[in-house]
Amino acid sequence: MSSVERTATVEAPPDRVWAVLADFGAISAWVPLIQHSCLLSEQTEGVGTVRRVQIARQTLVERVDTWAPPRELTYTIEGLPPMVGHARNTWRVTPTPAGSDIVLTTEIGTGRNPARALIARKVLERMSMASELMLAGLTAAVAPTAEQDEQDDQDEEQP
């Protein structure tokens, strides 16, 4: 198995990060690379939720495997070239004193086929760039606004 990991630190609590990740069908709202996304399942959250993602001329189907609010979301990615097969993204959110650390890990099963391992490395290079864009989009989506900062201050003042 080949994998790549990308990280970001945001000034937002894990619950706010989770709220964005958990709106599973709306990833196109915060990732500019994605032209369109929608749910394919009647289920809107939890293991088994499925979404369709359109990136240029490529259509991907992503199926949730792990749903552990507000800490972890894992989904399988289908629709990659046949030699690659399936990939998996895992988002991990860890609280910090200033907000949250986010780790996005992308994995591709390579088996023992050397040609498949080479192709997987090339695909992972592209997917790591996509991971950077997803983390940047998530960071922007959860960035505190003046209204949120004011509400947080008011919440802290109440007994």
Side-chain angles (χ1 to χ4, degrees), residues 14-118:
D15 289 342
R16 191 179 312 160
V17 175
W18 183 261
V20 174
L21 291 174
D23 191 358
F24 199 62
I27 190 171
S28 60
W30 51 274
V31 180
L33 172 73
I34 299 174
Q35 286 81 33
H36 176 75
S37 61
C38 64
L39 290 176
L40 293 179
S41 60
E42 288 185 24
Q43 183 175 336
T44 60
E45 62 182 38
V47 173
T49 303
V50 181
R51 73 179 167 204
R52 178 183 179 275
V53 174
Q54 187 71 40
I55 304 171
R57 292 183 287 159
Q58 185 172 30
T59 300
L60 302 174
V61 173
E62 300 176 337
R63 185 176 318 275
V64 175
D65 300 319
T66 304
W67 186 275
R71 303 282 194 248
E72 184 173 329
L73 172 66
T74 301
Y75 51 89
T76 302
I77 305 167
E78 303 167 6
L80 297 170
M83 187 63 161
V84 175
H86 301 306
R88 178 186 309 231
N89 273 348
T90 300
W91 294 84
R92 289 189 180 85
V93 183
T94 306
T96 67
S100 302
D101 284 338
I102 304 167
V103 177
L104 174 55
T105 305
T106 302
E107 302 171 302
I108 296 177
T110 56
R112 296 175 188 247
N113 182 329
R116 189 172 183 173
L118 177 64

Side-chain angles (χ1 to χ4, degrees), residues 8-14 17 93 96 98-102 135 138-140 142-144:
T9 299
V10 296
E11 293 182 19
V17 175
V93 183
T96 67
S100 302
D101 284 338
I102 304 167
L135 282 167
L138 181 60
T139 299
V142 301

